[in-house]
Amino acid sequence: MSSNADAGGHSPSETDIPAGVSGPQLPHVGVVLVTHNRPELMRRALDSILTQDYPGPITVHVVHDRCALDFGLVRQDPFREVRVQENSRTPGLAGARNTGIVSSVTQLVAFCDDDDSWLPGKLRLQTIALLQVPGAAFASTAMVVDYGAHTAVRLAGSKAIRHEDLLRSRMSMVHSSSFLADREALIGIGMVDETIPNSMCEDWDLLLRATRHGAIVNVDQPLIRVLWGGSSYFYQQWEVKNVAHQWMLDHHQDIRTNGVGAGRVYGQLAFGHAALGQRRAALRWAGRSIRANWREPRAVLALAVATGVVSDKRVLDALQRRGHGI
């Protein structure tokens, strides 16, 4: 698998550790691994974290959301500790992630979904990149997408993700399973919003809030593996997606000021309504999408689904084979 060097001409390496910081002195990282009734996938995710070549200590908080605790996961190794706990906050992904953040006492905190995994070198390269940028609070990586028998690499094409980038696009390759943040800074930014319906779009909301304080450091190499399709709790849940996208428009008004970004979200709403058979709403949102950005392809796809030219499942399948979504 190939990887891109950063815009500075090279990828972070062990020799890039900032002066005065040796391997054993690298920050203690707390990893929040939220799980809900997917024990086999969760154990794969956990193994990918524990086997990282990161020379600093890692504490994994396996937060069980509305499912039985698995105390067999507990591990007391001071450099690779595993703790097990239940979600003590709002039921769902957002509350469970915040449970882990609050429980962690580490300098850095990272996320990993239970159906995803980290690739070798992820945490080491990402932490070094974060330490190289004074004042940086947040870091991400690119990803590999697995969809059935199909695999796709998604890169951002940049070593920095800014607020205006996220207004134009959700940038799905900047995935929550790659997030690494300074814990104190994250609490200052505001943890995961627990009021978002079904915790859908919670990662985009967090990214938009984080980038108001500064750019996100991005290691543009595919260092996480993301599983798409039937394992996702939001796969083809169009009503949930519609409500969440409307929530984003209401809570991030600056999306509406960006023609490309507004057109994209309006197109997503158009497609969601079309998939639900709500033709009138689909046509209304498609019209708004085209007026905001006449080049927005989601509006065209929504019209095709609304008029019966093609099914929403066929469109989604074709996109996800290439590592893209609506």
Side-chain angles (χ1 to χ4, degrees):
M1 182 183 300
S2 63
S3 61
N4 284 6
D6 64 27
H10 69 285
S11 297
S13 68
E14 195 73 46
T15 59
D16 293 319
I17 295 176
V21 179
S22 64
Q25 293 174 323
L26 283 170
H28 190 168
V29 179
V31 183
V32 181
L33 173 56
V34 174
T35 188
H36 174 71
N37 291 329
R38 294 193 284 206
E40 292 183 4
L41 288 172
M42 179 269 291
R43 286 178 176 271
R44 185 191 70 169
L46 179 60
D47 184 65
S48 76
I49 296 166
L50 296 175
T51 56
Q52 288 287 305
D53 64 354
Y54 182 69
I58 300 173
T59 297
V60 185
H61 298 264
V62 183
V63 183
H64 292 69
D65 179 46
R66 296 163 294 165
C67 60
L69 298 176
D70 184 355
F71 290 105
L73 302 172
V74 173
R75 179 171 170 169
Q76 296 181 337
D77 182 334
F79 268 77
R80 293 294 184 270
E81 182 180 8
V82 179
R83 301 180 182 181
V84 170
Q85 62 192 120
E86 64 181 352
N87 178 8
S88 61
R89 298 171 67 97
T90 307
L93 179 61
R97 279 202 180 135
N98 287 339
T99 294
I101 294 169
V102 171
S103 299
S104 178
V105 293
T106 56
Q107 178 181 340
L108 301 180
V109 64
F111 298 160
C112 186
D113 290 348
D114 63 356
D115 58 343
D116 300 330
S117 57
W118 289 359
L119 295 176
K122 184 265 188 192
L123 190 57
R124 174 174 55 83
L125 294 173
Q126 188 181 31
T127 303
I128 292 168
L130 185 64
L131 293 175
Q132 287 178 324
V133 181
F138 214 103
S140 60
T141 78
M143 68 179 182
V144 179
V145 176
D146 289 327
Y147 175 68
H150 303 274
T151 298
V153 174
R154 295 293 311 278
L155 305 177
S158 174
K159 65 177 182 179
I161 309 299
R162 297 177 173 82
H163 191 70
E164 54 268 29
D165 300 325
L166 291 159
L167 293 179
R168 288 176 58 88
S169 170
R170 161 58 189 88
M171 300 191 72
S172 61
M173 73 291 293
V174 184
H175 191 277
S176 57
S177 286
S178 79
F179 290 0
L180 176 70
D182 179 280
R183 182 178 176 276
E184 288 189 7
L186 178 57
I187 292 174
I189 291 166
M191 296 190 297
V192 186
D193 195 315
E194 298 180 30
T195 69
I196 299 176
N198 295 89
S199 296
M200 178 69 189
C201 292
E202 96 296 335
D203 45 0
W204 187 25
D205 167 73
L206 181 57
L207 288 169
L208 284 168
R209 288 188 284 114
T211 49
R212 290 195 181 104
H213 299 265
I216 292 170
V217 175
N218 183 56
V219 180
D220 208 26
Q221 299 179 46
L223 294 174
I224 64 169
R225 189 163 221 109
V226 176
L227 186 61
W228 278 6
S231 73
S232 171
Y233 291 119
F234 298 119
Y235 184 62
Q236 294 187 346
Q237 291 192 24
W238 298 113
E239 186 63 45
V240 172
K241 293 180 180 182
N242 287 347
V243 172
H245 285 130
Q246 185 65 64
W247 188 98
M248 290 296 297
L249 289 174
D250 293 341
H251 288 76
H252 294 277
Q253 293 288 330
D254 45 357
I255 294 173
R256 299 175 185 267
T257 67
N258 185 292
V260 173
R264 181 180 64 84
V265 179
Y266 298 161
Q268 289 174 305
L269 283 162
F271 192 92
H273 284 290
L276 290 169
Q278 298 167 354
R279 188 169 180 269
R280 181 174 297 179
L283 295 176
R284 183 174 68 252
W285 281 109
R288 293 187 65 179
S289 177
I290 292 169
R291 287 192 293 274
N293 176 23
W294 65 271
R295 296 180 177 179
E296 175 51 58
R298 292 168 184 81
V300 177
L301 293 173
L303 291 172
V305 172
T307 55
V309 173
V310 66
S311 72
D312 61 291
K313 293 180 178 63
R314 185 174 179 182
V315 172
L316 192 62
D317 179 65
L319 290 171
Q320 295 203 331
R321 284 169 183 262
R322 296 166 176 80
H324 293 264
I326 289 293

